[in-house]
């Protein structure tokens, strides 16, 4: 039998069983000799037992069973020899005795057992015994026998290795000798382990590899024991351990050995050691065999270093200073270059390990992550000619998805948008995988925590942007009455606050002036955004989710209609999750979104364009609120200028008054001082005269003294009074100057205008009106909502007219389903009833067209209900306290001229008998100009009805009013004019439509009687008449008493 040929499995079982029997028998006799304290016989029996390990006919797995049984049997022998040492026998003598065994294998096992006792006894230097044992074991070169022998040597000597601070350290050995012993044993064991691969036939190669994997821990123990030495320093590791281990790894040229030893090296030694020797460790990877899974080694190494860096800031700083990321990237590139035949999945998996390291250590460095993606894309592209497209390799594609998922998980979707190489790498995947990844990105963005963005001037009623289903109802209505009341109350509070804070002069003759104060309007909160607040971010986002936007035909056709609908709903939700607080920026975002959405096919446009239009309608409301806020602030700024000017005049007048008062007080003090001086001189003269009189006689002395005392009192008081008056005048506090008003907050200008946005919305709706992406029901509904917004918020008559005309054209040409036509006709009538911006001629034309559409319905019940709804067009409800739509902002004189000219035109067209059909408002300081103008128009209109004034009187009135307002408007700057027509109240038209509805109902009754009998016809007819009667009742309650009673009674009788 050849030495490389082993017996079959059945023979293996028999050989192993016989050997185990002999081992147990010899072990029994050995224990009997130990009980008799017979050293020589016990060693002899042990030799017989160990001789069973000399077999070469067993596989390593079976040989391992013999080894473990023998290992257990030797334990009593070692205990017995240790006891012999306590009885005075020398271990050195026993060490010499066991060397006389006849066979080399039993002799070496006994030498190892006694040698460990020899070191423990201290009779010999540890370095000598270890060197002797490791050299003697070279005598066994059989792979299986030699491998287990050296494993026995490593295990028995583990506890007696010299180490720093250990019991066996000293002159006889140090940690260096322990390292030498373990390294030598590791080298020999690795050689034997590699040779084990070549034992047996070629067909048993897989079995041998499996058995080698089971034995790999025996070799790894040497590295583990080295790492556990307390005396192992970084210098020793770098100078002695690592070079010899790496040399053995590279020289063995065995993929299995290299794979395991690299992993054992990474897992066994300290992280600090790896960080200090990272370049040397990574330089080995390109030199490995092609079967080595370098990605697994890199994953373990990067994971350990990432955890090490997370443990302390100092470790992280060391890791950053060592430029580990660059070293890992160079190692990956080197492996790819050195192994041209590497599998794509393994190459991508190395980049997965590198990306995991980057996102853990370089958490805020998006450039580092982008570099990894760039390198991965370049590698995948370069491997495509050899290995085929990446999409064809399921393993590689799975790893690529893992690579692309790491940035999304770590940085979030917003961070991923800043990675420029993310989308190109994603494009290498197949269409289905791209869609799944794009769906994950959308869901991640929608589920991410949101921050509420405060948008200046946004209406609270637009907070429903997150729901696309309710956008039709919420985005089209005019701003709420609460907003108008808030604006009015803000204006009135400004005036009252200014009166309270007015500055006054000290005197009552100077008139007081009010100083306005600035009140910052409240800023409602818009729907929460998800951070996509710029056009660049929006473009990056839509490039990432391109598989959800592009039509399936351009990628593959595996997507069914249900999945397509779910995807488009997700994209629609995404449109409502992006935006900005600046209307200009948000408009650019919507422009980017439309450019990407239009690249899709008709299947997707039917859903996404509707959501985009709803988003635009919300932006329109925000824009209107922003413009109103800026006009209000501009008005307050003009009032501030007037207040500052008046405050300056008051301060100047107060300073002039104070100077005059001080000058008058000084002159009065000088005059009093002169009078006091004169009195003093007179008193001196009188004293001289008294002295002369005293000399003349004693009888006049008393009288002179009394006169002197009487005259001295006013003299002494005069200087004090003058000094007090002079000192009191400077102490008078000057008049307090009035407080200067604070300027209102400055807001950035808005370049976007309502007409621009409305035209953009009209162009966005256009693909839905006709063509392959036509959705006439949705298009007509969106057009009616847009018409309402153009009329009641923007005040754009022409745009509202275009919307209605397009909607009517869609109704006539594209709608074929009768139920949809009925609903659309009612929508048209309801929308036109709420519009007040149209001039009478235009409105009458639209009303006739809508009434014709309502009357053209084929189904009689729908026809009747549509005619009843159309009657509302001729009997509008008042607008109430809704804010006026935006009007053009004109300079002061131009605004007044335009307003008066508008009143003249209305009077000329409708004459004196009709109510003034136009209401205009000048947003002036306190609203008095606009109100006075309206009152004057009303009075002129009523007077024209009574006195039938001619056109010359009207022209004179307009000229007078224009001249009166022009002077005042020159100081107040720009104003805005809002034009709203009064509600239409045409009872005749209402009656005609309702009579027509009655005729349709009667005709339907006749048809139903002829076809289905009287019973069913009567029930349907009664239902229709009830609808018409309810509408009649409503109008009868609304009709004014001025109408003809006969017409009212005839209408009641016909009903």
């Amino acid at each position: 039998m050849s030495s490389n040929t082993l017996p079959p499995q059945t023979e293996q079982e028999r050989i192993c069983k016989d050997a185990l029997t002999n081992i147990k028998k010899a072990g029994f006799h050995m224990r009997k000799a130990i009980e008799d304290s017979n050293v020589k016989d016990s060693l002899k029996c042990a030799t017989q037992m160990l001789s069973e390990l000399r077999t070469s006919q067993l596989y390593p797995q079976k040989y391992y069973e013999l080894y473990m049984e023998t290992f257990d049997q030797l334990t009593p022998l070692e205990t017995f020899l240790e006891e012999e040492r306590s009885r005075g026998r020398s271990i050195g003598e026993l060490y010499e005795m066991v060397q006389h065994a006849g066979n080399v294998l039993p002799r070496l096992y006994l030498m190892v057992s006694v040698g460990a006792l020899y070191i423990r006894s201290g009779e010999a230097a540890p370095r000598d015994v270890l060197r002797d044992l490791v050299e003697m074991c070279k005598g066994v070169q059989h792979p299986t026998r030699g491998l287990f022998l050296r494993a026995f040597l490593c295990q028995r000597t583990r506890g007696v290795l010299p180490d720093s601070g250990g019991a066996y350290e000293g002159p006889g050995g140090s940690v260096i000798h322990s390292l030498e012993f373990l390294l030598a044993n590791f080298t020999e064991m690795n050689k034997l382990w590699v040779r084990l691969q070549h034992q047996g036939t070629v067909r048993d190669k897989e079995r041998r590899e499996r058995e080698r994997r089971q034995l790999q821990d025996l070799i790894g123990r040497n590295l583990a024991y080295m790492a556990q030495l307390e005396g192992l320093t970084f210098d020793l590791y770098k100078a002695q351990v690592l070079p010899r281990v790496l040399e053995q790894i590279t020289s063995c040229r065995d993929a299995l050995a290299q794979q395991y030893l690299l992993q054992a090296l990474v897992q066994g030694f300290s992280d600090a050691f790896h960080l200090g020797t990272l370049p040397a460790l990574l330089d080995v990877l390109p030199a490995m065999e092609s079967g080595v899974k370098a990605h697994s080694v890199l994953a373990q190494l990067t994971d350990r270093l990432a955890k090490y860096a997370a443990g302390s800031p100092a470790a992280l700083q060391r890791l950053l200073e060592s430029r580990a990321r660059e070293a890992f990237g160079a190692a990956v590139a080197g492996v790819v270059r050195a192994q041209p035949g590497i599998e794509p999945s393994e190459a991508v998996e190395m980049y997965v390990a590198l990306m995991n390291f980057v996102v853990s250590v370089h958490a805020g460095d998006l450039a580092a992550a982008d570099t990894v993606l760039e390198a991965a894309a370049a590698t995948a592209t370069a491997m495509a000619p050899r290995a085929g497209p990446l999409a064809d390799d399921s393993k590689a594609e799975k790893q690529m998805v893992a690579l692309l998922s790491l940035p999304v998980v770590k940085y979030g979707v917003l961070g991923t948008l800043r990675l420029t190489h993310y989308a190109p790498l994603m494009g290498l995947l197949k269409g289905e995988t791209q869609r799944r990844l794009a769906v994950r990105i959308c869901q991640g963005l929608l589920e991410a925590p949101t921050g509420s963005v405060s948008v200046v001037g946004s209406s609270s009623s637009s907070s429903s942007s997150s729901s696309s289903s309710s956008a039709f109802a919420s985005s089209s209505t005019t701003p709420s009455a609460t907003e108008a009341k808030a604006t009015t109350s803000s204006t009135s509070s400004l005036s009252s606050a200014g009166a309270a804070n007015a500055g006054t002069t000290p005197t009552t003759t100077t008139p007081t002036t009010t100083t306005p104060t600035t009140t910052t309007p409240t800023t409602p909160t818009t729907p929460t955004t998800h951070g996509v607040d710029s056009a660049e971010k929006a473009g990056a986002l839509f490039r990432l989710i391109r598989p959800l936007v592009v039509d399936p035909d351009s990628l593959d056709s595996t997507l069914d209609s249900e999945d397509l609908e779910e995807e488009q709903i997700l994209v629609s939700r995404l449109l409502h999750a992006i935006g900005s607080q600046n209307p200009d920026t948000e408009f650019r975002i919507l422009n980017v979104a439309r450019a990407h959405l239009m690249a899709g096919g008709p299947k997707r446009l039917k859903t996404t364009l509707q959501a985009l239009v709803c988003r635009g309608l919300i932006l329109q409301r925000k824009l209107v609120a922003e413009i109103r806020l800026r006009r209000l602030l501009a008005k307050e700024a003009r009032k501030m200028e007037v207040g500052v000017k008046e405050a300056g005049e008051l301060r100047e007048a107060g300073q002039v008054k104070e100077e005059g008062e001080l000058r008058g007080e000084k002159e009065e003090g000088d005059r009093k001082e002169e009078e006091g001086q004169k009195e003093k001189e007179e008193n001196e003269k009188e004293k001289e005269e008294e002295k002369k009189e005293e000399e003349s006689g004693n009888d006049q002395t008393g009288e002179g003294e009394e006169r002197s005392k009487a005259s001295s009192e006013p003299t002494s008081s005069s200087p004090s009074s003058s000094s007090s008056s002079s000192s009191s005048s400077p102490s008078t506090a000057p008049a307090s100057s009035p407080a200067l008003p604070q300027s209102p907050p400055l807001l950035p200008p808005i370049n976007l205008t309502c007409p621009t946005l409305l035209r953009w919305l009209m162009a966005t709706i256009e693909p839905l009106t006709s063509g392959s992406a036509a959705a006439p029901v949705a298009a007509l509904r969106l057009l009616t909502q847009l018409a309402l917004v153009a009329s009641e918020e923007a005040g754009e008559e022409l745009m509202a007219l275009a919307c209605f005309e397009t909607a009517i054209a869609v109704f006539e040409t594209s709608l074929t389903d009768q139920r949809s036509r009925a609903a659309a006709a009612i929508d048209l009538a309801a929308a036109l009833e709420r519009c007040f911006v149209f001039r009478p001629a235009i409105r009458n034309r639209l009303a006739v067209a809508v009434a014709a559409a309502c009357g053209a319905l084929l189904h009689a019940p729908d026809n009747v209900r549509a005619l009843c709804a159309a009657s509302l067009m001729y009997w509008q409800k008042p607008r109430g306290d809704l804010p006026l739509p935006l009007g053009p902002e004109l300079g002061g004189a131009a605004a007044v001229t335009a307003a008066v000219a508008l009143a003249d035109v209305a009077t000329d067209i409708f004459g004196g008998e009709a109510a003034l059909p136009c209401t205009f408002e000048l947003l002036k300081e306190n609203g008095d100009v606009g109100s006075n103008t309206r009152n004057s128009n009303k009075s002129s209109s009523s007077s024209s009805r009574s006195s039938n004034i001619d056109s010359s009187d009207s022209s004179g009135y307009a000229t007078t009013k224009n001249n009166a307002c022009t002077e005042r408007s020159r100081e107040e700057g720009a104003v805005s004019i809002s034009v709203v027509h009064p509600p239409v109240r045409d009872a005749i038209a209402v009656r005609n439509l309702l009579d027509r509805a009655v005729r349709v109902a009667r005709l339907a009754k006749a048809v139903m009687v002829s076809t289905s009998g009287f019973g069913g016809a009567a029930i349907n007819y009664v239902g229709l008449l009830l609808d018409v009667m309810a509408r009649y009742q409503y109008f009868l309650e609304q009709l004014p008493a001025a109408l003809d009673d006969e017409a009212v009674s005839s209408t009641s009788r016909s009903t």
Side-chain angles (χ1 to χ4, degrees):
M1 181 179 295
S2 175
S3 59
N4 291 334
T5 303
L6 297 177
Q9 186 67 27
T10 56
E11 187 68 15
Q12 294 270 326
E13 295 288 343
R14 185 189 63 79
I15 296 174
C16 181
K17 184 177 181 181
D18 294 343
L20 287 175
T21 302
N22 294 333
I23 290 173
K24 292 178 181 179
K25 186 183 296 185
F28 173 77
H29 291 295
M30 182 189 67
R31 286 191 297 274
K32 294 292 291 183
I34 290 173
E35 292 176 0
D36 297 337
S37 299
N38 191 338
V39 176
K40 187 175 294 187
D41 290 344
S42 62
L43 292 176
K44 181 180 179 181
C45 294
T47 302
Q48 294 176 357
M49 178 181 62
L50 292 170
S51 297
E52 298 296 330
L53 295 177
R54 297 173 57 215
T55 179
S56 59
Q57 303 299 315
L58 296 177
Y59 292 130
Q61 184 178 5
K62 294 297 181 181
Y63 191 88
Y64 180 72
E65 296 180 11
L66 298 182
Y67 171 79
M68 292 304 299
E69 183 64 28
T70 306
F71 186 86
D72 295 338
Q73 295 292 340
L74 286 177
T75 302
L77 178 62
E78 294 177 356
T79 305
F80 170 68
L81 296 178
E82 182 71 22
E83 292 175 354
E84 287 295 316
R85 174 177 173 272
S86 62
R87 298 189 186 101
R89 185 183 288 272
S90 173
I91 299 298
E93 179 183 352
L94 293 176
Y95 189 69
E96 294 291 337
M97 183 182 299
V98 297
Q99 295 185 25
H100 293 84
N103 296 316
V104 63
L105 188 63
R107 182 194 314 147
L108 292 176
Y109 271 100
L110 291 176
M111 287 182 65
V112 170
S113 300
V114 179
L117 297 176
Y118 199 13
I119 297 174
R120 193 176 290 115
S121 66
E123 299 177 10
R127 66 173 182 272
D128 298 333
V129 178
L130 293 175
R131 184 172 58 251
D132 185 32
L133 292 176
V134 76
E135 292 296 329
M136 291 292 292
C137 286
K138 291 182 180 180
V140 180
Q141 291 298 318
H142 188 274
T144 305
R145 296 195 297 264
L147 188 61
F148 280 96
L149 174 62
R150 290 188 173 274
F152 183 77
L153 171 64
C154 181
Q155 189 168 4
R156 287 304 186 188
T157 58
R158 177 187 179 186
V160 295
L161 295 176
D163 195 6
S164 299
Y168 305 102
E169 184 186 20
S174 64
V175 67
I176 298 178
H177 300 96
S178 299
L179 291 175
E180 290 292 337
F181 167 75
L182 291 172
L183 286 171
N185 194 53
F186 163 74
T187 302
E188 295 298 328
M189 289 186 71
N190 186 52
K191 292 177 181 178
L192 295 171
W193 186 44
V194 173
R195 286 173 54 193
L196 195 62
Q197 176 67 26
H198 307 289
Q199 184 179 6
T201 60
V202 177
R203 63 175 178 269
D204 295 334
K205 182 178 179 180
E206 294 182 359
R207 178 188 56 79
R208 288 197 304 271
E209 289 183 354
R210 184 172 61 253
E211 290 177 346
R212 286 185 63 198
R213 288 190 179 92
Q214 295 173 354
L215 298 176
Q216 63 187 10
D217 289 342
L218 300 179
I219 297 90
R221 288 176 183 175
N222 295 279
L223 299 178
Y225 294 162
M226 280 188 283
Q228 293 172 4
L229 292 175
E230 295 292 337
L232 180 62
T233 62
F234 175 73
D235 295 333
L236 287 175
Y237 173 79
K238 184 179 181 181
Q240 296 187 20
V241 177
L242 184 62
R244 294 181 60 178
V245 173
L246 293 180
E247 180 185 3
Q248 183 60 35
I249 293 174
T250 54
S251 62
C252 68
R253 313 303 298 175
D254 182 74
L256 179 61
Q258 290 177 344
Q259 177 79 34
Y260 170 72
L261 293 179
L262 282 174
Q263 293 178 345
L265 182 64
V266 170
Q267 295 295 333
F269 291 94
S270 171
D271 298 328
F273 290 178
H274 294 323
L275 183 58
T277 59
L278 188 60
L281 185 58
L282 294 179
D283 289 342
V284 178
L285 293 178
M288 295 294 99
E289 296 294 319
S290 58
V292 176
K293 297 180 179 179
H295 60 85
S296 179
V297 179
L298 279 174
Q300 292 181 3
L301 183 57
T302 54
D303 185 62
R304 287 204 61 174
L305 291 181
K307 292 180 179 178
Y308 173 67
S312 65
L316 177 61
Q317 185 63 27
R318 285 189 57 196
L319 191 60
L320 296 177
E321 292 175 356
S322 65
R323 302 181 67 86
R325 178 181 62 82
E326 291 80 357
F328 281 121
V332 172
V335 172
V336 174
R337 287 194 303 269
Q339 300 179 8
I342 188 173
E343 294 295 329
S345 59
E346 296 181 1
V348 176
E349 197 166 353
M350 287 192 294
Y351 287 106
V352 173
L354 182 56
M355 178 62 76
N356 200 2
F357 175 78
V358 168
V359 300
S360 300
V361 177
H362 304 268
D365 191 358
L366 291 175
D370 203 23
T371 303
V372 176
L373 295 177
E374 181 182 9
T379 301
T381 305
M383 295 175 65
R386 175 183 60 84
L390 187 67
D392 296 340
D393 190 343
S394 59
K395 294 183 179 179
E397 189 179 40
K398 182 179 180 181
Q399 295 300 326
M400 188 65 74
V401 171
L403 175 62
L404 294 172
S405 299
L406 284 174
V408 179
V409 173
K410 183 64 179 180
Y411 303 127
V413 177
L414 295 180
T416 307
L417 296 180
R418 298 169 58 185
L419 302 176
T420 56
H421 295 89
Y422 192 94
L425 188 61
M426 184 177 172
L428 298 177
L429 304 174
K430 62 183 179 181
E432 181 64 26
T433 307
Q434 290 185 42
R435 281 197 292 270
R436 289 200 301 265
L437 194 57
V439 168
R440 188 181 306 174
I441 291 174
C442 290
Q443 291 174 347
L445 182 64
L446 293 173
E447 295 173 1
T450 59
S452 179
V453 179
S454 180
V455 179
V456 178
S458 60
S459 175
S460 60
S461 59
S462 63
S463 61
S464 59
S465 64
S466 61
S467 176
S468 60
S469 61
S470 62
F472 289 116
S474 63
S475 64
S476 61
T477 57
T478 57
S480 60
T482 306
E483 181 182 351
K485 292 180 179 179
T487 305
T488 306
S489 61
S490 175
T491 307
S492 61
S493 63
L494 290 171
S495 301
S496 60
N501 296 331
T504 58
T505 59
T507 59
T508 58
T509 57
T510 304
T512 60
T513 303
T514 60
T515 301
T517 59
T518 301
T519 302
T520 304
T522 58
T523 57
T525 303
T526 60
T528 54
T529 61
H530 294 258
V532 185
D533 52 0
S534 66
E536 293 76 13
K537 291 182 180 180
L541 175 61
F542 278 97
R543 283 192 294 271
L544 291 185
I545 64 169
R546 184 175 179 273
L548 303 182
V549 176
V550 178
D551 194 75
D553 295 336
S554 60
L555 293 175
D556 52 57
S557 57
T558 60
L559 196 65
D560 57 11
S561 58
E562 185 177 354
D563 293 339
L564 179 63
E565 184 179 0
E566 292 179 358
E567 289 180 1
Q568 298 321 294
I569 291 175
L570 190 63
V571 174
S572 300
R573 290 179 57 198
L574 193 65
L575 289 173
H576 286 277
I578 61 178
S580 173
Q581 61 179 355
N582 188 294
D584 293 329
T585 304
E586 186 163 349
F587 182 63
R588 288 193 291 270
I589 291 174
L590 296 183
N591 254 328
V592 170
R594 187 176 74 171
H596 285 273
L597 293 177
M598 294 301 293
K603 297 179 181 178
R604 298 178 182 269
L605 291 179
K606 292 179 180 180
T607 303
T608 54
L609 287 187
Q610 297 183 46
L612 185 62
V613 172
C614 294
R615 195 68 181 84
L617 291 174
I618 295 174
L619 175 59
Q620 170 64 29
R621 170 163 300 153
K622 183 191 301 184
L623 178 62
V624 169
E626 292 278 359
I627 294 176
R628 283 178 176 158
L629 178 63
R630 279 161 175 75
R631 290 184 179 180
L632 177 62
L633 293 179
K635 176 182 175 182
E636 297 303 323
R638 291 192 295 270
K639 294 171 69 175
M640 289 297 168
E641 294 177 1
V642 177
V644 170
K645 182 177 179 181
E646 293 180 354
E649 294 175 354
L650 288 177
R651 184 186 294 110
E652 184 179 356
Q655 290 177 356
V656 172
K657 174 184 176 298
E658 291 173 3
E659 291 176 358
E661 289 180 350
L662 292 176
R663 187 165 53 251
E665 291 175 354
K666 184 177 181 181
E667 292 176 355
E668 182 69 18
D670 294 341
R671 185 181 61 79
K672 290 182 179 181
E673 186 176 357
E674 291 177 359
E675 292 178 355
Q677 188 66 24
K678 291 180 180 180
E679 291 179 357
K680 184 177 181 180
E681 292 177 356
E682 292 177 356
N683 291 335
E684 290 177 355
K685 290 181 181 180
E686 290 178 355
K687 288 181 180 180
E688 292 178 358
E689 292 178 354
E690 289 176 355
K691 288 180 180 180
K692 291 179 181 181
E693 291 177 357
E694 288 178 356
E695 293 176 357
S696 61
N698 292 331
D699 54 346
Q700 296 178 356
T701 303
E703 184 181 357
E705 292 176 355
E706 292 178 358
R707 285 197 303 267
S708 176
K709 291 181 180 180
S711 62
S712 63
E713 291 179 358
T715 305
S716 60
S717 63
S718 176
S720 63
S721 63
S722 63
S723 61
S724 63
S725 62
S726 62
S727 62
S728 62
S729 60
S731 64
T732 304
S736 60
S737 59
L740 294 178
Q742 297 180 354
S743 60
L746 297 178
L747 296 178
I750 299 178
N751 298 322
L752 179 63
T753 61
C754 289
T756 301
L757 180 56
L758 292 174
R759 286 192 296 271
W760 182 87
L761 289 171
M762 190 72 176
T764 306
I765 299 174
E766 184 178 358
L768 299 176
T769 59
S770 61
S772 58
V777 176
L780 192 143
R781 190 175 303 164
L782 291 173
L783 287 169
T784 55
Q785 303 298 324
L786 185 59
L788 274 174
V789 171
S791 170
E792 299 308 297
E793 293 187 10
E796 295 291 333
E797 181 186 19
L798 295 180
M799 181 57 65
L801 175 61
C803 292
F804 271 111
E805 289 178 345
T806 306
I808 294 172
V810 170
F811 177 87
E812 294 175 350
T813 59
S814 301
L815 283 180
T816 57
D817 181 64
Q818 294 301 315
R819 185 169 298 180
S820 300
R821 288 174 62 86
I826 294 176
D827 289 342
L828 286 172
L832 185 58
E833 185 268 335
R834 296 166 59 189
C835 292
F836 293 86
V837 76
F838 293 117
R839 285 170 289 177
I842 296 177
R843 178 182 179 79
N844 185 47
R845 188 178 68 187
L846 290 176
V848 171
V850 173
C854 294
L857 298 176
L858 300 179
H859 193 227
D862 295 335
N863 197 343
V864 172
R865 295 185 179 94
L867 289 173
C868 291
S871 63
L872 288 173
M873 296 186 300
Y874 295 98
W875 198 270
Q876 288 181 295
K877 296 180 181 178
R879 296 185 80 252
D881 55 355
L882 292 177
L884 293 174
L886 292 179
E889 192 169 19
L890 305 174
V896 176
T897 303
V900 176
L902 184 63
D904 294 341
V905 171
T907 305
D908 293 340
I909 293 176
F910 293 94
E913 298 299 330
L916 186 64
C918 298
T919 302
F920 57 91
E921 180 175 348
L922 303 180
L923 302 178
K924 306 299 283 184
E925 180 178 356
N926 292 320
D928 53 347
V929 175
S931 60
N932 291 339
T933 305
R934 290 192 302 272
N935 294 334
S936 301
N937 289 337
K938 291 181 180 180
S939 61
S940 63
S941 178
S942 59
S943 61
S944 64
R945 287 194 298 268
S946 59
S947 59
N948 194 11
I949 61 174
D950 55 6
S951 60
S952 60
D953 296 335
S954 175
S955 175
Y957 161 76
T959 304
T960 304
K961 196 65 178 179
N962 189 2
N963 294 333
C965 296
T966 301
E967 296 297 331
R968 187 170 183 180
S969 62
R970 288 174 181 173
E971 300 179 355
E972 296 178 351
V975 296
S976 60
I977 298 178
S978 299
V979 179
V980 173
H981 291 265
V984 174
R985 298 297 176 91
D986 190 349
I988 304 301
V990 171
R991 177 180 174 179
N992 292 336
L993 286 175
L994 293 180
D995 286 344
R996 184 176 177 183
V998 172
R999 289 195 298 272
V1000 172
R1002 289 174 178 172
L1003 179 61
K1005 172 192 172 183
V1007 173
M1008 286 185 288
V1009 167
S1010 62
T1011 57
S1012 60
F1014 183 78
I1019 295 175
N1020 287 281
Y1021 177 66
V1022 170
L1024 295 178
L1025 287 185
L1026 287 177
D1027 293 338
V1028 181
M1029 290 176 64
R1031 186 68 61 183
Y1032 262 121
Q1033 183 64 29
Y1034 169 76
F1035 286 111
L1036 289 176
E1037 295 174 356
Q1038 299 292 326
L1039 288 174
L1043 293 179
D1044 188 6
D1045 294 338
E1046 183 179 356
V1048 175
S1049 60
S1050 63
T1051 302
S1052 302
R1053 287 195 299 273
S1054 64
T1055 304

